[in-house]
């Protein structure tokens, strides 16, 4: 196989861009993404905020792997010339596709061969032969789609609960058991299998991502932390600060300063942010 010329792939020193999945994958997958570091750039330290999701990832030229949900901020140094593609499952949707409990993969990175019975090498070779990062992402998406078609459906009760948690960033976790007619212990058990964390932890994670979405969205960028905290569903700025430290290890001002340094027009989080912004608008929070 001839070597692929990737010299024209890179438009920015480093970039991260999401897109929506194909319609058939939409109930399972929130986004497909591409991350690049130009060969002429210094190494890029990538910081990942916990998002409550399982992801299938491949560094083009290597083997695909699966990242379980993370319990804290993670940092990874990406070498110059790195092209990484990924498919992010919705909370609770990955377990039947991967045929394992999400609770067994928390804070773990697992080679796809361990779950996909020897197919990782062929998938890696297919992605390495792609003509562009977008094509590589589409090929990984097609592999996930093939496995979704062969999988059982996600837990419908967990899916309903996740939708409620997205819709109401302030109070939904208190009413889940009543509205879903299930005990706390049963709901927690089903969340641990499908999502990998209890409902309260996912609720905190989604609320924090709602804050990140607001903080990086158009006119909201210049709002005070106190105003952003209220719009995101926190009791006050102090509540936001405590949650930021608990989830990421740093204060919200420090986190946003890092995002401002590393993100710009070459970063696109729209598929992740738009549903959270719409949910906060529907819930009646003032912007």
């Amino acid at each position: 196989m001839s070597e692929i010329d990737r010299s024209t792939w890179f438009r920015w020193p480093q970039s991260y861009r999401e897109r929506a999945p194909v319609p058939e994958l939409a109930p399972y997958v929130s986004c497909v993404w591409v991350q690049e570091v130009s060969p002429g750039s210094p190494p890029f330290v990538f910081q990942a905020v916990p998002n409550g999701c399982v992801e299938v990832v491949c560094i083009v030229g290597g083997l695909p792997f699966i990242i379980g949900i993370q319990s804290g901020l993670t940092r990874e140094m990406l070498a110059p010339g790195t092209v990484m593609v990924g498919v992010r499952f919705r909370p609770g949707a990955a377990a039947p596709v991967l045929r394992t409990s999400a609770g067994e993969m928390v804070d773990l990175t697992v080679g796809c061969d361990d779950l996909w019975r020897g197919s990782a090498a062929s998938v890696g070779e297919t992605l390495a032969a792609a003509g562009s990062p977008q094509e590589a992402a589409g090929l990984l998406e097609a592999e996930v789609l093939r496995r979704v078609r062969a999988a059982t459906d996600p837990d419908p009760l967990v899916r309903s609960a996740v939708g409620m948690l997205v819709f109401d960033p302030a109070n939904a976790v208190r009413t889940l058991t009543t509205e879903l007619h299930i005990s706390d212990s049963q709901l927690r058990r089903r969340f641990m299998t499908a999502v990998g964390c209890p409902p309260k932890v996912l609720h905190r994670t989604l609320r924090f991502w709602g804050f990140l979405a607001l903080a990086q969205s158009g006119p909201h960028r210049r709002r005070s932390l106190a105003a952003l905290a209220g719009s995101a569903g926190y009791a006050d700025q102090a509540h936001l600060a405590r949650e930021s430290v608990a989830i990421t290890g740093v204060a919200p001002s420090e986190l946003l300063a890092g995002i401002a340094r590393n993100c710009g027009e070459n970063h696109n989080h729209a598929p992740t942010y738009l549903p959270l912004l719409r949910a906060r608008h529907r819930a009646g929070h003032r912007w």
Side-chain angles (χ1 to χ4, degrees), residues 21-30 56 87-90 93-99 116 140-154 159:
V22 295
E24 189 177 349
L25 269 181
Y28 297 83
V29 167
S30 62
V56 181
V87 174
R88 181 175 303 148
F89 284 97
R90 298 187 186 279
V97 180
L98 302 179
R99 300 184 180 181
W116 288 356
L140 184 62
E141 178 185 32
E143 177 66 20
V144 171
L145 176 57
R146 185 174 72 83
R147 294 182 177 277
V148 162
R149 288 171 173 165
T152 58
D153 291 335
R159 177 180 287 181

Side-chain angles (χ1 to χ4, degrees), residues 3-62:
E3 185 174 346
I4 299 295
D5 179 10
R6 299 187 178 125
S7 61
T8 61
W9 284 17
F10 304 91
R11 295 175 57 191
W12 298 282
Q14 58 81 17
S15 66
Y16 171 86
R17 305 188 72 78
E18 297 178 355
R19 67 163 172 82
V22 295
E24 189 177 349
L25 269 181
Y28 297 83
V29 167
S30 62
C31 71
V32 179
W33 54 263
V34 175
Q35 184 156 27
E36 303 172 81
V37 182
S38 170
S41 300
F44 175 65
V45 179
F46 170 63
Q47 298 187 124
V49 176
N51 56 23
C53 301
V54 175
E55 305 190 53
V56 181
V57 178
C58 186
I59 297 175
V60 176

Side-chain angles (χ1 to χ4, degrees), residues 154-201:
D155 186 327
L157 185 140
V158 171
R159 177 180 287 181
S160 296
V162 170
M164 293 168 64
L165 295 177
V166 171
F167 179 77
D168 188 347
N171 300 308
V173 75
R174 302 175 188 172
T175 62
L176 283 181
T177 54
T178 300
E179 296 200 26
L180 297 173
H181 308 288
I182 190 173
S183 69
D184 285 332
S185 60
Q186 289 178 319
L187 183 62
R188 180 185 176 91
R189 175 178 57 79
R190 289 168 72 162
F191 256 71
M192 290 304 298
T193 298
V195 181
C197 65
K200 186 174 182 179
V201 173

Side-chain angles (χ1 to χ4, degrees), residues 111-140:
C112 283
D113 261 350
D114 294 336
L115 298 176
W116 288 356
R117 300 181 181 179
S119 65
S122 62
V123 174
E125 289 173 359
T126 299
L127 268 62
S132 70
Q134 293 72 30
E135 181 183 343
L139 291 168
L140 184 62

